[in-house]
Amino acid sequence: MKKIAVAVLVVIASIVVFAYAARKENTVTIKVGKTPTSVEVADLNNDKIPDIVVANGGDSSVTILLGKGRGSFYETKGSPFYAGCAPNDVAIADFNKDGKPDLAFANHTQKYLTVLTGDGTGKFEPVKGSPFHADVFPHTHGVATGDFNKDGNLDLVTDSWGNDRIEILFGNNQHGFNTTGKFINVGKHPYQRIRTADLDKDGNMDIVTTNLDGNNATVLLGDGKGDFHEAAGSPFACGDSPFGVAIGDINGDGNPDLAIVNSPSITSANTGRDGLTILIGDGKGSFAMMPGSPFTTGKSPSRVAIGDINGDGVNDVAVANYNGNSITVFLMSKRAMLSNYTIRVGKNPDGIAIADIDGDGKKDILVTNSLDNTLDIIKGQ
């Protein structure tokens, strides 16, 4: 019996090694700017081919990679573009209502947000009035967008980590943002990520913060007039030192869920367990922890993405392990986490995204390696 068990383990191990090798060979690496942080995917030049945006915190720039089709990319003329000091997070939307994607950046170490307007060919320049002052403490970390007051102008929201609140900069008719912002109290130390979505299906944009020292997440439900109230049960417990969040339907019930990385090991003062916590939404703004959470990740997970990696119709989750030089992929079912595996990537992976960037119908994983100044594209199989 013992010999059979050992044989089975050897077979399983060899399958895992083969799968890992296949994925490694299917990785394309692209040089980008210095200390890349966020990576996002969007069609920037309206050719219906996905393009890539990489924020480079080390040289205060953004690299724009335009898709040629079949997973091939070239850097647009003029790239990298100046994106304000130490861009740490990026939101993509049409801020000036010209039908072309624009970019907004949270500038780490600074009290402002930089907004670049796109010309529809992949080129970007600062919008009039940029950067926009944010009266936060000590500086911005994350940024997200939505029309919170339904005036037809997109707004920006960022964190004020030091005084446990967020700030909303409302958009104006001049395609800029009012720097006299609206402040809303949240949990203890909303750090690194802030995200928006319609969580209760009322047609109004809502806001999620991960509260690093509260070990919870605050859910703010919008009324469509620029005001917010906490959802019933908020803030929601979500493991130790929640560091980043992604919003998407993970269990296939049509309601938005939250994937949150727990990363006490990435901070200097916190203790606890690194991992991934999944909060399942009820479609009304309340959330409950998925059984088994927090799930084990690599060391110091920093960011998280949601997408259907294995093509079974159910969204999966991928996590960048900053101090583990790896990513962890969690394959999900409608009821639970089915399995997970680890892929080695470059040094200090940070930003992560899931998208079909080569048009083959299979989702790919993109991850920035901050110490290597590279972007890895792991092709779906």
Side-chain angles (χ1 to χ4, degrees):
M1 192 69 167
K2 188 178 291 186
K3 289 182 179 179
I4 293 175
V6 170
V8 171
L9 287 174
V10 169
V11 171
I12 292 173
S14 62
I15 291 173
V16 171
V17 169
F18 174 79
Y20 166 77
R23 290 188 181 93
K24 193 65 177 176
E25 290 172 2
N26 215 32
T27 299
V28 174
T29 300
I30 301 174
K31 292 292 288 185
V32 290
K34 187 176 180 181
T35 320
T37 53
S38 293
V39 58
E40 300 292 344
V41 177
D43 182 4
L44 302 176
N45 56 355
N46 199 31
D47 62 358
K48 295 181 171 51
I49 299 173
D51 308 308
I52 301 173
V53 176
V54 178
N56 305 304
D59 59 14
S60 301
S61 73
V62 56
T63 296
I64 302 298
L65 300 170
L66 297 181
K68 296 191 290 184
R70 298 184 179 181
S72 179
F73 294 86
Y74 66 98
E75 194 166 352
T76 192
K77 184 178 180 180
S79 174
F81 302 98
Y82 181 68
C85 183
N88 182 61
D89 197 17
V90 58
I92 304 176
D94 181 11
F95 296 115
N96 62 354
K97 297 186 284 189
D98 66 352
K100 301 164 187 175
D102 308 310
L103 309 175
F105 299 90
N107 297 108
H108 195 225
T109 75
Q110 302 298 318
K111 295 176 181 284
Y112 59 68
L113 303 173
T114 295
V115 179
L116 304 183
T117 181
D119 69 354
T121 71
K123 297 178 183 178
F124 291 85
E125 63 181 15
V127 72
K128 184 179 180 180
S130 180
F132 297 95
H133 177 74
D135 192 16
V136 299
F137 178 75
H139 45 248
T140 66
H141 298 94
V143 64
T145 188
D147 185 0
F148 302 125
N149 56 359
K150 288 193 170 180
D151 65 350
N153 300 312
L154 288 174
D155 313 308
L156 296 175
V157 58
T158 189
D159 59 282
S160 187
W161 176 84
N163 49 23
D164 304 334
R165 62 184 187 175
I166 61 172
E167 182 180 12
I168 297 174
L169 302 182
F170 288 103
N172 56 45
N173 291 325
Q174 289 73 47
H175 309 315
F177 298 88
N178 300 328
T179 55
T180 302
K182 179 184 184 70
F183 296 94
I184 304 173
N185 293 328
V186 291
K188 189 175 183 182
H189 291 174
Y191 190 56
Q192 287 298 329
R193 304 296 161 256
I194 187 168
R195 292 295 181 255
T196 58
D198 182 5
L199 302 174
D200 57 357
K201 299 182 178 180
D202 65 350
N204 302 320
M205 292 298 289
D206 310 311
I207 299 172
V208 177
T209 69
T210 49
N211 307 313
L212 182 73
D213 294 320
N215 296 336
N216 54 35
T218 295
V219 173
L220 298 171
L221 302 180
D223 66 356
K225 301 176 182 178
D227 290 322
F228 292 82
H229 68 275
E230 280 201 60
S234 175
F236 300 96
C238 59
D240 299 322
S241 302
F243 199 77
V245 59
I247 303 175
D249 180 9
I250 296 173
N251 65 344
D253 65 355
N255 299 324
D257 308 309
L258 308 179
I260 297 171
V261 286
N262 307 111
S263 195
S265 71
I266 210 171
T267 65
S268 58
N270 290 21
T271 59
R273 175 185 172 188
D274 288 349
L276 167 71
T277 295
I278 294 177
L279 299 182
I280 300 299
D282 66 355
K284 300 176 182 178
S286 290
F287 293 84
M289 197 176 293
M290 175 180 277
S293 292
F295 303 104
T296 300
T297 62
K299 188 176 182 181
S300 306
S302 60
R303 307 195 195 209
V304 57
I306 297 172
D308 183 7
I309 294 171
N310 60 353
D312 65 352
V314 178
N315 280 330
D316 309 301
V317 180
V319 172
N321 303 309
Y322 187 81
N323 286 324
N325 298 334
S326 67
I327 66 172
T328 304
V329 175
F330 296 88
L331 300 180
M332 310 300 297
S333 74
K334 291 185 177 181
R335 296 184 178 179
M337 193 273 288
L338 292 178
S339 62
N340 64 78
Y341 56 87
T342 297
I343 303 174
R344 299 291 296 179
V345 291
K347 295 178 181 177
N348 290 159
D350 195 2
I352 191 165
I354 299 173
D356 178 10
I357 53 92
D358 54 8
D360 65 353
K362 301 174 183 177
K363 292 294 177 69
D364 313 298
I365 303 174
L366 298 84
V367 58
T368 57
N369 304 305
S370 60
L371 280 189
D372 291 340
N373 303 329
T374 60
L375 168 73
D376 278 345
I377 301 175
I378 304 167
K379 298 294 187 67
Q381 297 182 35

